Amino acid sequence: MPIRETFWNIPHWAEIAQYVLALLTALVFIYGVGHRVLRWRKGLPEKRSGHFWARIWSLVTQVLAQRRTLDEAYPGLMHFTIFWGMLVLAIGTALATVDWDVTNLFFGFQFLTGWVYILFELTLDVLGLLVVVGLGMAIYRRYVTRPARLQKFPTLENVSYAARDDAYVLLMLAFITLSGYLTEGLRIAVTQPDWAAWSPVGSAISAAFLALGDPANQTLHLIVWAIHILSAFVILASLPFTKLFHIFSTPLNIYFRSLEPAGALQAPRSEGGVKEWKQFTWKQLLDFEACTRCGRCQDVCPAYASGHEFSPRDVMIKLEMHLWEKPNGRALHGDVVSAAELWSCTTCRACSQVCPAFIDHVGSFVDMRRYLVVEGTVDNQLQKALANLGRYGNSFGQSERMRAKWTQGLQPAIKDARKEPVEYLWFVGDYASYNQTLIDVTRKTAQVFQRAGLNFGILYDAERNSGNDVRRVGEEGLYEMLAEKNLQALSRCKYETIVTTDPHTYNTLKNEYAWNGNRPRILHYTELLDELISSGQLKFSKKLDARVTYHDPCYLGRYNGVYDAPRRILHAAGCELVEVPRHGDRAFCCGAGGGRIWMEEKPGRERPSEMRVREAVALDGVTTFVVACPKDVTMFRDAVKTTGSESRIQVKDLIELVYEAM
Amino acid sequence: MMNIVVLAKLVPDLVEELTIDASGAALDLTFARWIINELFDDHAIEQGILLKERSGGTVTVIAPDLEGADDVLFTAAAKGADRLIKVRSDFSAANNHAVARAFSAIIKGFQPDLILTGVQAHNDLDGSAGPLLAESLGLPYVGYVSGVALADGKFMVKKEYPGGLIAEMEVTLPAVFGIQAAEQPPRYVAVSKVRQAMKTSSIEEMDASDLDLSGAPEIERMFQPEAAAHAEMLEGTPEEVSAKLVALFKELGVL
Ligand code: SF4
Ligand code: SF4
């Protein structure tokens, strides 16, 4: 009967030695894991419990099924094969251990016998091959095709620990898999069991050794076995100290990920922002340790693409290295992460959207920016904008009394929501109110609302910048001040729904304002128009017949999941939509978010907005670039000029098309 | 330990439209928003703080009791000012002579080593506030200063001249300085720090003696710029326009 002959050809002393080694390995492993866990516990508290089943479900989809990892074919498949291959081999080893050291030792029976054993052999034998394929793909990719995102890791004293660590892991995994196969092959070569055919790979290898004959093969088997076992223990012992630790840290990070809306930034947990790493929360520290340096975030990052000395991948790697530095005087700010890096981020969240480890980059960046703001490390333009926001409630440095100047001459006059009840309270926002080039669009918005018969009003002088980007700059105090003023003004009005022009405003009103359980319905104007169209309240009188493309604003799409409403409006207005390659949750940021629009521009290769315009211009027959965010209008109109694309494409707000089609 | 006093002048915010009052000889300041004189007095505060950070000492910031003064003072405290003084009087209508006399009486009491103030303000374009203050304190005055330093017991200031020339001079303290620019642009203070300062520091209020308005010129009329002449547009084809232009030049005697 087929049966697993554990410790075949292994002398008793070697068997004992193996148990001793196993014990040692376990001790090192436990020490290492403890070391890591204690480090996380040095972080500040953060609540991440609750939603147990939702969290378990994340583990199923994202760890077992590797959903996000599989978003990219080559690296996805590569990782999937290694992951499942290794997992099955590990389970197999565990079963074998139980079979021998538990059931056999204590109860005198083995379950790996007969057909169970044959199935066991077959599975392990074949799935081991998956690992070999995956590892081959990984080695080929990392050392032959060498994509940019796996190159140029940050160093510490000129040593690239990351590159070393990556090489170690691949080498060890390859070594353990191949030595495992060799052991198996040699065993089959000597014992030649009847069921050898069920181990196809092992049998194939055994064929190569048959000629050597028994005694030689037995000795060789013992040697290879010893090497195999040793390398297995080395891997296990080194696991908590190397990249392999992501086997634990990444699933943990996925389990503990935030299930709050993506647009709800956490208030500072340490007063004055994060100055040193211990002021991060344990979850943020876990973030850094869960990073596998896969570089996907870098590939989608607009700041990196425009040539800034910045990559979200690098910041994660540097933070992780910093956690483990002995006290050596290197400061988090300046030595580890520079202010320029922190100011580069547009908070577009493209990184977190693709990160297979579900890391929240923006949260940590903003926490560090908060420190920079309290220290006063802001550039002149940003300082001016913040001062204006503090004094006038808008970044333009214009009097709040001028906020509704754009309404002058509109007939009928727009209702003052402070004076009479309205159904829709329109939160206009800074750019739409003050920017001269946008006033035309804003007036058209008002006219569309009027023609649709909406009962709406605005806050006039009482409106302030919503603070969404002020908060992301890291100026929490100013954000609170602005939010308080807006909430105060809103609390004095009677309305049912708030509708916003700006996706940034939309985000913070919807996800961050302290409504104390009385949050009204909050819509972006595209959502409102979509509703009005489907209810028949808004009708188009003509079809536009235009070939257009649409840019998903970060704070509407990725942050709030509004992808379909604008597309349905375009369709209803008779436009033919041709998607840019990067659309939906992969949309490429215009570069203005997170307060970047207020900052001095640093020289780079090309602005994100310009890259985006080129992407649109390359589409066949598309002449209109449709946006749904006032900042986008200014950013892209500018980029159309600087790229000399005026004759090819024009930038329009969605509302302009609606206005034309009415 | 240097005892530094900064006189922080407030000015009406030009973001709001300026109107002339009923008398026709002064601004209507009923709705004015008073803010720190950003171009210069904000630099004077910054320079005071920088000096304190570098050489030690205390910084006392004094401001007239106008709406907006608390904001200016607490912001200064958030930057590092030690003492905040608000001087009560009817400053909105006061001239520089009156202001200088009123503040000198109070500043004298502090026995300062140096007094910093903005070199100019948009409502004090000839920059007389500083010199008048120095005069009334009987102290030397240096204006257009863009840097101060205490080195080896000597007090050195940098003064800017037109054309990019810079002079360094040694000044015997106490003295009054009109600050043109601090060595660094005024720093940003986070709102949370200002809020913190509101909790931890307090503003002392002092009364100025009755304002003595004498010595200042009397304003007869204040008005918005009036268009004296208007431009004449030459219209027509390029040929016609050039013909008209030539005729015009001849008429003016330049051809
Ligand atoms: S949020 Fe956007 S800009 Fe910031 S690091 Fe991520 S991808 Fe880059
Ligand atoms: S942060 Fe995420 S996406 Fe970026 S390198 Fe690390 S694991 Fe990859």
Side-chain angles (χ1 to χ4, degrees), chain B residues 51-165:
Chain B
L51 195 58
K52 170 189 163 177
E53 284 171 353
R54 215 166 38 213
S55 314
T58 57
V59 175
T60 306
V61 180
I62 306 186
D65 182 15
L66 292 160
E67 203 192 322
D70 287 13
D71 207 37
V72 170
L73 290 172
F74 284 128
T75 305
K79 290 180 184 179
D82 306 277
R83 223 175 139 186
L84 314 173
I85 317 272
K86 196 158 75 173
V87 179
R88 274 190 301 236
S89 194
D90 181 21
F91 283 110
S92 64
N95 59 49
N96 280 337
H97 292 260
V99 169
R101 280 190 284 260
F103 277 97
S104 76
I106 288 174
I107 290 174
K108 214 175 254 161
F110 295 128
Q111 296 180 322
D113 297 307
L114 67 161
I115 299 136
L116 310 176
T117 190
V119 69
Q120 279 182 343
H122 64 62
N123 60 358
D124 171 29
L125 272 187
D126 27 328
S128 58
L132 287 171
L133 180 67
E135 166 67 23
S136 132
L137 285 165
L139 295 178
Y141 174 80
V142 185
Y144 297 93
V145 167
S146 59
V148 296
L150 186 66
D152 309 327
K154 282 194 263 182
F155 197 76
M156 306 293 295
V157 301
K158 265 194 210 150
K159 180 179 166 99
E160 278 188 25
Y161 286 94
L165 284 181

Side-chain angles (χ1 to χ4, degrees), chain A residues 119-148:
Chain A
L119 199 65
F120 175 86
E121 282 290 288
L122 180 67
T123 316
L124 260 58
D125 193 77
V126 173
L127 285 183
L129 214 51
L130 268 192
V131 178
V132 175
V133 169
L135 286 173
M137 287 171 82
I139 291 169
Y140 182 74
R141 180 162 174 268
R142 186 172 293 273
Y143 300 108
V144 182
T145 53
R146 299 163 63 90

